[in-house]
Amino acid sequence: LEIIVTILNVNDNSPVFKQTNLTEVVPEDTKVNATIVAREDLSASDADLDTIYYELTAIVAGTDGYFAIKGVNNPEIYLQKTLDYEKFKSTTLFLYARDRPVGSTETTHTATATIEIFIEQADTKPPWFLPCTFINTDNSVCISSPYTGRVNISEMSREPLILEPGPIYAIDPDYTLNEKIVYSIVGGDTDKIFSVDADTGNLTMNKVATSPDSYLLQVMATQVNNIQKYSIASVEIKVINKSHYPPYFESRIYNGTVFVGLPARSFVFQAGNPSSPLMITAVDDDFPDV
């Protein structure tokens, strides 16, 4: 008597990952759709020879949607959205491997692999002149106001010029890299009256200004390691006549009169002369005709 015995495979084994913990360092400027972790490093095996179904989730708040797998049966992880080091510097991904589709009513075995992702800051931003104001909610763009200063006509200043709202200064906003920045004047100084220190940004004079016209300089801050990373700021230098005398009030004491019940912004009148508004005036002997 010949008896044929057929062994039925029972789903009694769980999927197994080759590695259950992986760590990947991803540069911030990695291109979208680039592979982050290869399929062969993530594929799970199953002794029951079942088809494996994969699912990827991010467990760090705010990092959903950046990483994904190529397909339900392909665990290769790729970059789905542009990274920003300012938004997050690391995340943790869970990769699930199941021997039945999600939602199956059959007995399902699951394995989990943990992938730690660390973002490496890249040189993505040009220099920022300070002080500056952020113009977007993620603080990725900071716009500076023009610098302003004054020089006396036909007078040579030997010290760095005093500017508002402060001295010329730029930083590398990719702060973990903090690349060296150099300064140069690239426009507005046709007479070569001014110089800027390449290292400090201090603005000085080469010779006197003989014209009363203002100078609108263009100062460039450039990263030494990459000349394509630069920013330009405007510096307005007003040429004025030197002031020899301080202004002063014509009187040390002014007396005024107000009436009960007057509304806000009403005139204060001269004491003893209620028909004339009180006038407080100052004079400057540098301008005797004014």
Side-chain angles (χ1 to χ4, degrees):
L1 178 63
E2 180 179 335
I3 300 174
I4 299 176
V5 179
T6 301
I7 308 299
L8 299 178
N9 190 15
V10 176
N11 184 16
D12 56 356
N13 292 284
S14 297
V16 178
F17 284 106
K18 290 189 297 184
Q19 303 178 72
T20 56
N21 291 280
L22 295 89
T23 299
E24 295 291 333
V25 177
V26 182
E28 180 187 12
D29 57 353
T30 298
K31 301 296 184 183
V32 171
N33 294 323
T35 296
I36 303 302
V37 186
R39 178 175 184 169
E40 53 267 24
D41 295 328
L42 294 171
S43 295
S45 59
D46 190 328
D48 297 318
L49 302 181
D50 291 322
T51 299
I52 306 297
Y53 300 87
Y54 298 94
E55 181 185 3
L56 184 70
T57 61
I59 66 169
V60 177
T63 64
D64 289 336
Y66 284 89
F67 302 94
I69 56 176
K70 286 294 182 68
V72 68
N73 301 122
N74 182 356
E76 178 179 311
I77 298 176
Y78 71 97
L79 183 63
Q80 191 170 236
K81 191 163 62 172
T82 302
L83 295 171
D84 187 343
Y85 186 81
E86 302 299 327
K87 291 183 177 179
F88 69 95
K89 300 169 178 58
S90 65
T91 187
T92 301
L93 308 176
F94 281 168
L95 180 65
Y96 300 99
R98 299 184 177 88
D99 54 14
R100 293 291 185 272
V102 175
S104 173
T105 57
E106 299 181 50
T107 300
T108 303
H109 300 286
T110 303
T112 305
T114 303
I115 302 97
E116 297 285 348
I117 302 290
F118 294 95
I119 311 303
E120 181 181 65
Q121 187 169 31
D123 191 5
T124 60
K125 298 183 179 70
W128 289 348
F129 281 97
L130 299 182
C132 64
T133 302
F134 292 110
I135 62 172
N136 52 0
T137 56
D138 61 2
N139 295 344
S140 60
V141 178
C142 202
I143 301 299
S144 64
S145 299
Y147 296 94
T148 59
R150 298 184 299 175
V151 297
N152 295 321
I153 193 168
S154 300
E155 182 173 304
M156 184 72 176
S157 175
R158 302 294 179 182
E159 299 296 326
L161 302 184
I162 297 175
L163 304 177
E164 295 291 341
I168 296 172
Y169 180 59
I171 63 168
D172 178 7
D174 299 308
Y175 55 87
T176 61
L177 304 177
N178 195 26
E179 298 292 350
K180 180 177 173 57
I181 292 172
V182 294
Y183 305 90
S184 59
I185 297 175
V186 295
D189 189 24
T190 54
D191 297 330
K192 305 299 181 185
I193 291 177
F194 303 98
S195 292
V196 65
D197 188 288
D199 295 319
T200 67
N202 286 335
L203 193 66
T204 55
M205 298 184 71
N206 298 321
K207 56 185 179 180
V208 299
T210 58
S211 170
D213 297 331
S214 296
Y215 291 86
L216 188 59
L217 309 179
Q218 302 296 313
V219 176
M220 183 166 68
T222 310
Q223 289 184 194
V224 172
N225 71 322
N226 186 351
I227 61 174
Q228 294 182 341
K229 292 287 192 304
Y230 68 89
S231 293
I232 294 178
S234 296
V235 183
E236 183 182 11
I237 304 297
K238 298 179 180 178
V239 182
I240 62 173
N241 290 315
K242 185 175 181 179
S243 177
H244 295 279
Y245 305 100
Y248 60 90
F249 290 105
E250 291 184 300
S251 176
R252 293 183 58 189
I253 299 175
Y254 291 85
N255 295 307
T257 299
V258 294
F259 300 100
V260 175
L262 286 177
R265 304 183 69 84
S266 295
F267 282 118
V268 176
F269 294 95
Q270 293 185 28
N273 187 4
S275 63
S276 299
L278 178 63
M279 303 288 291
I280 299 175
T281 57
V283 295
D284 189 332
D285 290 339
D286 287 311
F287 306 96
D289 297 329
V290 177

